[in-house]
Amino acid sequence: MITSEDAQKNTIRQVASFMVSAARTAPKARGLDNIVACILDGEEKNALARKMLAMGREYASRTFERDAANVRFADAIVLIGTRSKPIGLTVCGLCGFPDCAACAEQKGLCAFNSTDLGIAVGSAVAVAARHYVDNRIMYSAGLAARDLGIPEPGLAIILAVPLSVHGKNPFFDRK
């Protein structure tokens, strides 16, 4: 017999893995892949929640405290981030610089990196939704992950997606 609890844990692991794959295979500008993803659970997930609580105190922000409670309750967290690497266009300017060379020189953030991240995260949460796994995109947990250097140091932007399989969506009725 496989209990409901065991089945739910297996579902979270499988869906989180599918989400990372969806982020990896999502379309990217010029086919250049600057996306990085990983899955946190157990103590790593709890360390992220503790960092969020500390940030909440530092910034006097209830958002970080509320979201830390969600992260602690979640079964797993999928982190998806982007490196800051201009894609080599000679005409663009979407980043505020005249071209990719100027963006790189000034250590700007390429608009296509952000766009690629949005597409990757959208693909990932679509996977979760198709498998009936509750989720929510959180910038706060992503910011804490970036401060911790996970999934790798130096990422420009990280978004976090906590996952839950319970009788009620813990990410819906938030105060």
Side-chain angles (χ1 to χ4, degrees):
M1 179 176 84
I2 299 172
T3 67
S4 175
E5 188 174 292
D6 287 341
Q8 289 165 208
K9 286 178 183 177
N10 290 337
T11 296
I12 289 291
R13 287 184 188 107
Q14 288 178 327
V15 169
S17 295
F18 292 151
M19 291 171 69
V20 168
S21 294
R24 172 67 52 235
T25 61
K28 299 176 184 74
R30 296 192 64 211
L32 301 174
D33 188 1
N34 293 307
I35 298 298
V36 177
C38 73
I39 302 163
L40 300 181
D41 62 8
E43 180 48 37
E44 292 173 323
K45 177 183 70 77
N46 293 332
L48 181 66
R50 286 191 300 273
K51 175 64 174 173
M52 293 170 70
L53 286 173
M55 292 174 80
R57 288 188 297 273
E58 178 184 347
Y59 300 137
S61 171
R62 295 236 345 107
T63 297
F64 283 85
E65 293 173 11
R66 177 202 62 206
D67 289 356
N70 281 159
V71 165
R72 192 174 292 113
F73 185 78
D75 298 300
I77 309 293
V78 174
L79 297 175
I80 305 172
T82 184
R83 296 179 185 103
S84 179
K85 289 190 178 177
I87 62 169
L89 299 177
T90 55
V91 177
C92 174
L94 290 175
C95 62
F97 298 99
D99 56 33
C100 289
C103 180
E105 182 179 306
Q106 296 297 315
K107 300 192 183 322
L109 178 60
C110 176
F112 288 101
N113 297 159
S114 300
T115 301
D116 290 349
L117 176 61
I119 294 167
V121 171
S123 295
V125 297
V127 166
R130 276 194 295 273
H131 290 89
Y132 306 100
V133 173
D134 293 328
N135 66 89
R136 184 176 192 111
I137 300 168
M138 292 184 178
Y139 88 93
S140 56
L143 191 58
R146 189 178 75 178
D147 281 4
L148 291 170
I150 50 177
E152 74 179 38
L155 293 179
I157 304 170
I158 302 171
L159 295 173
V161 185
L163 305 174
S164 173
V165 176
H166 292 90
K168 179 171 181 337
N169 184 339
F171 314 124
F172 183 71
D173 295 328
R174 301 173 347 136
K175 297 177 183 170

